[in-house]
């Protein structure tokens, strides 16, 4: 934001020709880097939890908006509105209250009388609206004055700058200052959704409407497109996904008469062509609606709170992980946001291309730093980034809790002691959940071959106890660990087990099977020793000999990646054992669904013996059979009716199991069908309410002692021993 604000401070002194030349140069570089996410980001198609669809079962909704930035634009408002009325459309016009022009009340009245909507566009449109929290609060009073005077309920910031939390100062029903994907904007982080979502701070809420079709200025003035084909293509895609097609066209840039000026205007015929495409190709298939009506529909549909349910909460999550690929964190955050809570997640960045902040399906994601500095290695190389992250989290939480207190902090290990980043907020009433993804002492012992009575193990167990005492409730990733952890920390009365239940809205079977003639075996996950991927590569040599068209695809990263690549090359498997970079949760779900067989080859003589692997249930949820090693934790939850076990560490047994299933399509189909039923019976939908109950039980009166939250310890989710017939 600093560079953005600096740019707009000096913008009046920069010649427009120079500004546009620089922007076009930058746009070419950005497009080369972000072409896979613009104009269509496939991940944005995921529907919000509980989304009921559009009124009258319409496949998608269409919203047309216009930002009026100059006197020229004001002069062309009426011709533009008449063009839309001629073609059967209505739209919203957003005016700058204290800009370079004055909006005649008669024009606003004419628009409203003819079925259009009027909204407020910034205050001065000078890029300074978000200069400071104090100045925004002062400007909000002026903006609210115009909202009331104009009878407006919607707002959009100039230049699509935004601080969504600050907008609660405005008396609005909706804001439209975000987008699903647009790397060309000053704040490029998109919402990654083509659906409206709510923004709540626990006291007030509004609906956010992202624009989902590229702005006209970007498309025609910056990128130099010569027609509306990108608008058409993306609208067709949004229609298939059931989303919101929201377009922003500036009347300032339309050329009604005479030739257009490249880089300054574009022919109005291009906009007419797009509207004609809508009328002809999607006739009767969309909900033509004003933004205030979309906000009204979304506000009623999205809170998902029953009458008498607790008020919205303000919640901060902390995780030293990549949020987009962390199923456990993502499902908690999205479940809270879906019911109207304000959720902010402090996480780490996978690559420099990712923005430091963005909103994803109603969750505000703040990436504070990169996870690891690849130049550092060993124990210290792992510890220093964690300490730096903890310090950054503590400072961020302190600052934002002062501005507006959090009700709850949900902190995810590893390591446990990150929970102390919430010390300031806890001392002032916030409750703390510590979520144990992995038990640290056992993980450390497996990773660094530490002896049970070593000083390091003693220190880790002391930190484990201290972190547990500091927390109001502890959630642990499986029942075996829950019992051990509760006994070791004396927290049995406030300790719950939540396995990594799969989000069934993300992990779904593939719509159509692959037709490439290959047999794809897949492993998606961390490349550490206890995962046993080296055993799978060793086994695959025999698989490839028996089935030459089989391939082993490995998606992941970790300390063993280079040695695993070398192992595959040494075994002569470089052409059939292929390594890919990690993917986000929604992307990897689609990749998993297209596989023929999943493999989870954990070692039973290490940390993996008790570490529950989410990958198993993910494969089951997408309808792909899975071969797994016989570990204590997996024997606790599964049996041979839904998975194929092999003796852990035995490459020959793993090869035989893979060959058997790959050679028999019907056997794969039957196992996958039984597993799919089991996965549906044990998905996140069945545990979501248990988690929300814990949150609500903790978020009581901050002056009272923490209530005893419900201790949820369901029986192990084993299937019945008998394999049900599948026909």
């Amino acid at each position: 934001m600093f560079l953005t604000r600096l740019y707009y401070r000096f913008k009046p002194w920069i010649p427009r020709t120079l500004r546009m030349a620089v922007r076009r140069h930058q746009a070419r570089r950005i497009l080369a880097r972000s072409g896979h996410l613009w104009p269509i980001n496939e991940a944005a198609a995921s529907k919000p939890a509980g989304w009921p669809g559009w009124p009258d079962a319409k496949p998608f909704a269409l919203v047309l908006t216009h930002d009026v930035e100059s006197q020229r634009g004001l002069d062309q408002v009426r011709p533009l509105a008449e063009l839309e009325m001629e073609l059967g459309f209505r739209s919203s016009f957003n005016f700058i209250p204290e800009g370079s022009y004055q909006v005649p009340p008669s024009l606003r009245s004419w628009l409203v009388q003819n079925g259009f909507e009027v909204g407020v566009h910034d205050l001065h449109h000078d890029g300074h609206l978000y200069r400071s929290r104090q100045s925004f609060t002062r400007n909000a009073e002026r903006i609210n004055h115009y909202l009331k005077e104009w009878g407006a309920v919607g707002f959009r910031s100039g230049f699509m700058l935004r601080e969504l939390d600050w907008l609660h100062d405005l008396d609005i029903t909706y804001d439209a200052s975000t987008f699903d994907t647009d790397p060309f904007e000053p704040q490029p982080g998109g919402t990654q959704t083509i659906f409206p979502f709510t923004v709540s701070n626990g006291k007030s809420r509004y609906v956010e409407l992202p624009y989902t079709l590229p702005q006209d200025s970007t498309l025609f003035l910056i990128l130099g497109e010569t027609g509306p084909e990108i608008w058409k293509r993306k609208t067709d895609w949004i229609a298939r996904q059931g989303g919101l097609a929201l377009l922003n066209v500036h009347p300032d840039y339309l050329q009604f008469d005479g030739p257009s000026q490249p880089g300054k205007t574009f022919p109005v015929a291009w906009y007419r062509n797009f509207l004609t495409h809508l009328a002809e190709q999607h006739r009767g298939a969309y909900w033509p609606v004003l933004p205030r009506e979309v906000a009204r529909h979304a506000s009623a549909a999205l809170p998902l709170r029953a009458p008498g349910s607790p008020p919205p909460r303000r919640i901060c999550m902390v995780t030293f992980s990549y949020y987009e690929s962390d199923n456990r964190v993502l499902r908690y955050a999205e479940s809270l946001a879906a019911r109207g809570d304000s959720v902010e997640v402090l996480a780490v960045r996978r690559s420099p291309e990712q923005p430091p902040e963005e909103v994803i399906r109603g969750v505000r994601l703040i990436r504070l730093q990169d996870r690891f500095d690849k130049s550092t290695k060993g124990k210290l190389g792992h510890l220093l980034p964690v300490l730096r992250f903890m310090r950054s989290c503590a400072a961020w939480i302190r600052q934002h809790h002062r501005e507006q207190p959090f009700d709850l902090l949900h902190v995810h290990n590893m390591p446990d002691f990150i929970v102390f980043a919430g010390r300031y907020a806890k001392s002032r009433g916030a409750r703390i959940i510590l979520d144990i993804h992995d038990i640290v002492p056992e993980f450390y012992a497996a990773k660094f071959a530490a002896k049970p009575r070593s000083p390091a193990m003693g220190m880790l167990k002391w930190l484990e106890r201290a972190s547990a005492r500091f927390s109001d409730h502890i959630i642990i990733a499986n029942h075996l660990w829950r019992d051990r952890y509760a006994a070791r920390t004396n927290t049995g009365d406030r300790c719950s087990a939540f396995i990594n239940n799969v989000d069934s809205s993300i992990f779904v079977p593939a719509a159509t099977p692959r037709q490439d003639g290959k047999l794809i075996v897949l492993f998606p996950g961390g490349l550490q020793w206890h995962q046993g991927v080296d055993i799978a590569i060793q086994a695959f040599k025999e698989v490839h000999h028996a089935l030459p068209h089989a391939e082993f695809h490995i998606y992941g990263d970790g300390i063993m990646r280079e040695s695993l690549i070398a192992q595959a090359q040494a075994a002569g498997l470089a052409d059939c054992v292929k390594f890919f970079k990690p993917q986000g949760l929604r992307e990897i779900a689609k990749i998993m669904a297209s596989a023929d067989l999943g493999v989870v080859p954990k070692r039973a003589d290490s940390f993996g013996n008790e570490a529950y692997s989410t990958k198993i249930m993910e494969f089951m949820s997408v309808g792909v059979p899975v071969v797994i090693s016989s570990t204590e934790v997996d024997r606790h939850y599964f049996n041979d009716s839904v998975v194929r076990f092999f003796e852990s560490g035995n490459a020959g047994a793993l090869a035989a199991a893979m060959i058997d299933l790959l050679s028999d399509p019907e056997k794969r189909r039957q196992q996958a069908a039984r597993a799919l039923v089991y996965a549906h019976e044990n998905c996140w939908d069945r545990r979501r309410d248990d988690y929300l109950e814990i949150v609500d039980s903790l978020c009581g009166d901050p002056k009272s002692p923490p209530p005893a939250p419900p201790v949820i310890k369901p029986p192990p989710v084993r299937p019945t021993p008998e394999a049900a017939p599948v026909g």
Side-chain angles (χ1 to χ4, degrees):
M1 277 293 288
F2 172 75
L3 293 177
T4 298
R5 289 169 178 160
L6 193 65
Y7 168 79
Y8 286 108
R9 181 175 182 179
F10 292 101
K11 179 184 174 185
W13 291 276
I14 304 175
R16 186 179 189 280
T17 303
L18 178 59
R19 295 201 313 265
M20 296 301 291
V22 170
R23 290 191 64 185
R24 291 190 190 101
H25 175 72
Q26 290 178 327
R28 287 193 292 270
R29 297 178 61 186
I30 292 170
L31 188 60
R33 186 174 66 242
S34 306
H36 63 297
L37 297 175
W38 185 91
I40 293 174
N41 180 359
E42 293 286 349
S46 180
K47 293 181 174 62
W51 177 247
W54 300 106
D56 302 323
K58 294 292 185 181
F60 73 105
L62 171 70
V63 172
L64 304 174
T65 69
H66 309 291
D67 292 348
V68 183
E69 297 185 351
S70 65
Q71 183 64 47
R72 184 180 192 276
L74 186 70
D75 294 340
Q76 300 199 132
V77 165
R78 188 155 180 160
L80 176 55
E82 289 172 344
L83 167 65
E84 291 176 338
M85 287 193 290
E86 174 193 337
L87 298 175
F89 294 91
R90 296 296 187 274
S91 61
S92 172
F93 286 85
N94 301 315
F95 297 102
I96 303 170
E98 298 180 4
S100 61
Y101 61 84
Q102 296 294 319
V103 189
S106 58
L107 177 60
R108 298 199 311 269
S109 298
W110 182 86
L111 287 169
V112 173
Q113 290 168 5
N114 283 278
F116 293 84
E117 182 178 345
V118 170
V120 173
H121 185 32
D122 209 273
L123 181 60
H124 304 296
H125 203 279
D126 57 3
H128 298 327
L129 183 62
Y130 299 102
R131 181 169 50 190
S132 71
R133 187 67 178 89
Q134 293 75 16
S135 66
F136 181 85
T137 300
R138 292 193 300 269
N139 288 330
E141 296 180 5
R142 298 292 301 155
I143 295 172
N144 286 333
H145 165 77
Y146 292 106
L147 285 164
K148 183 176 181 180
E149 179 182 332
W150 296 358
V153 296
F155 178 78
R156 176 179 281 150
S157 303
F159 312 107
M160 309 307 289
L161 301 177
R162 58 199 178 276
E163 289 284 356
L164 297 187
D165 285 348
W166 299 6
L167 293 180
H168 291 288
D169 290 355
L170 302 184
D171 300 329
I172 55 174
T173 300
Y174 71 88
D175 171 66
S177 305
T178 59
F179 38 84
D180 62 328
T181 178
D182 193 335
F184 309 102
E185 289 290 353
Q187 284 180 254
T191 64
Q192 296 193 39
T193 182
I194 54 173
F195 294 88
F197 59 90
T198 58
V199 181
S200 170
N201 66 355
K203 297 179 181 179
S204 66
R205 62 191 299 271
Y206 62 87
V207 175
E208 185 64 32
L209 305 180
Y211 73 71
T212 56
L213 300 179
Q215 288 201 60
D216 55 349
S217 54
T218 300
L219 209 58
F220 305 127
L221 309 189
I222 304 299
L223 297 179
E225 290 290 320
T226 57
E229 297 308 313
I230 287 181
W231 280 348
K232 294 179 184 179
R233 177 160 58 92
K234 186 161 186 185
T235 300
D236 295 345
W237 177 77
I238 291 172
R240 294 193 296 271
Q241 309 305 324
L244 168 66
L246 193 153
L247 175 64
N248 183 18
V249 169
H250 300 75
D252 313 68
Y253 308 142
L254 288 171
Q255 188 70 41
F256 278 87
D257 301 309
S260 60
Q261 305 174 60
K264 294 184 178 180
T265 63
F266 65 94
V268 71
W270 293 353
Y271 183 50
R272 177 188 285 272
N273 182 290
F274 172 67
L275 296 181
T276 302
H277 171 80
L278 289 170
E280 293 178 352
Q281 300 300 318
H282 297 282
R283 183 182 302 276
Y286 58 86
W287 182 32
V289 64
L290 295 173
R292 67 186 180 211
E293 293 166 327
V294 173
R296 189 180 303 120
H297 172 73
S299 182
L302 289 176
L304 305 179
R305 288 181 180 273
S309 61
R313 313 294 189 185
R314 186 159 190 256
I315 296 170
C316 177
M317 292 203 176
V318 177
T319 176
F320 189 66
S321 69
Y322 307 124
Y323 171 75
E324 306 92 321
S325 56
D326 195 324
N327 170 64
R328 195 171 181 87
V329 182
L330 189 145
R331 74 185 188 201
Y332 291 134
E334 290 192 356
S335 296
L336 291 165
R339 71 171 190 170
D341 291 333
S342 173
V343 185
E344 294 166 288
V345 177
L346 308 182
V348 291
R349 185 173 61 170
R350 188 185 296 278
S351 66
E353 289 74 27
Q354 290 185 310
E357 181 178 325
E358 61 183 313
V359 177
I360 302 177
R361 293 172 180 83
V363 176
R364 183 186 178 197
L365 172 61
I366 300 97
R367 300 182 178 95
L368 293 179
Q369 68 182 54
D370 295 336
R371 184 169 183 180
F372 290 115
D373 180 355
K374 295 184 179 179
S375 65
T376 58
K377 298 181 180 179
K379 300 174 185 178
L380 192 61
H382 285 78
L383 178 60
L384 290 179
V386 173
L387 294 176
R388 185 160 63 93
F389 179 73
M390 180 180 171
R391 182 184 62 186
S392 299
C393 288
W396 191 96
I397 292 169
R398 183 185 184 91
Q399 176 188 344
H400 289 78
H401 188 80
R402 281 175 170 173
E403 294 175 357
Q404 188 175 353
F406 292 104
D407 296 295
L408 176 78
L409 271 63
H410 186 154
V411 183
H412 300 260
N413 91 331
M414 295 196 332
D416 300 357
F417 61 76
I418 285 183
V419 75
F420 292 108
R423 186 174 62 88
Y424 178 86
K426 181 176 174 64
S427 70
R428 283 154 178 78
R431 307 303 193 196
I432 305 284
I433 291 177
L434 173 59
D435 201 304
I436 305 295
H437 294 210
D438 293 308
I439 295 184
V440 175
E442 282 79 356
F443 181 86
Y444 179 88
K447 188 177 184 67
F448 296 109
K451 296 181 179 180
R453 298 186 180 276
S454 67
M457 289 291 286
M459 174 61 73
L460 290 175
K461 289 180 180 179
W462 180 86
L463 285 170
E464 182 180 70
R465 292 191 297 272
S467 301
R469 286 195 301 270
F470 179 77
S471 306
D472 296 305
H473 194 81
I474 300 101
I475 293 175
I476 303 185
N478 70 61
H479 291 81
L480 300 184
W481 282 353
R482 188 258 176 211
D483 294 342
R484 179 184 304 174
Y485 183 94
R488 205 155 68 191
T489 60
N490 194 28
T491 55
D493 59 337
R494 51 191 176 93
C495 194
S496 303
F498 277 73
I499 63 171
N500 281 343
N501 302 89
V502 175
D503 188 335
S504 57
S505 68
I506 297 175
F507 289 87
V508 297
T512 56
R514 290 190 347 273
Q515 301 292 335
D516 56 11
K518 297 179 181 179
L519 289 171
I520 303 299
V521 180
L522 186 68
F523 173 85
L527 303 182
Q528 291 86 28
W529 183 81
H530 72 267
Q531 297 284 9
V533 182
D534 58 317
I535 299 170
I537 293 175
Q538 183 182 347
F540 202 76
K541 186 170 185 178
E542 187 175 337
V543 174
H544 183 62
H545 179 75
L547 302 167
H549 53 302
E551 293 183 2
F552 185 21
H553 291 186
I554 300 169
Y555 284 81
D557 212 344
I559 59 175
M560 288 196 64
R561 181 180 174 87
E562 297 306 319
S563 64
L564 292 173
I565 293 174
Q567 178 189 354
Q569 292 173 342
L573 300 174
D575 292 335
C576 60
V577 176
K578 301 182 179 181
F579 292 81
F580 302 88
K581 287 293 184 181
Q583 299 293 316
L585 196 67
R586 288 172 171 82
E587 291 75 21
I588 200 64
K590 295 177 182 178
I591 293 169
M592 293 174 75
S594 68
D596 296 289
L597 183 67
V599 59
V600 181
K602 293 183 302 177
R603 284 182 161 87
D605 57 351
S606 70
F607 176 77
N609 191 46
E610 297 178 350
Y612 180 86
S613 175
T614 316
K615 294 182 287 290
I616 299 171
M617 285 280 278
E618 290 172 349
F619 277 121
M620 295 164 74
S621 297
V622 297
V624 172
V626 58
V627 176
I628 70 174
S629 58
S630 181
T631 63
E632 183 179 357
V633 69
D634 294 323
R635 284 288 185 183
H636 184 79
Y637 289 111
F638 308 109
N639 67 23
D640 292 290
S641 68
V642 292
V643 299
R644 177 67 174 267
F645 283 108
F646 74 95
E647 181 187 1
S648 179
N650 188 331
L654 174 55
M658 288 194 287
I659 293 170
D660 182 43
L661 283 172
L662 290 172
S663 302
D664 192 335
E666 180 59 21
K667 187 177 290 186
R668 292 203 308 274
R669 187 190 71 82
Q670 291 202 16
Q671 179 180 313
R674 290 190 295 268
L676 187 60
V677 173
Y678 170 70
H680 285 169
E681 291 175 349
N682 296 284
C683 66
W684 173 238
D685 288 341
R686 303 297 180 94
R687 294 304 310 274
R688 180 185 292 108
D689 289 344
D690 293 336
Y691 169 67
L692 297 178
E693 184 181 350
I694 290 175
V695 170
D696 292 334
S697 72
L698 290 169
C699 294
D701 182 356
K703 296 181 180 180
S704 66
V711 178
I712 300 165
K713 186 183 177 183
V717 286
R718 296 194 191 98
T720 56
E722 297 299 325
V726 178

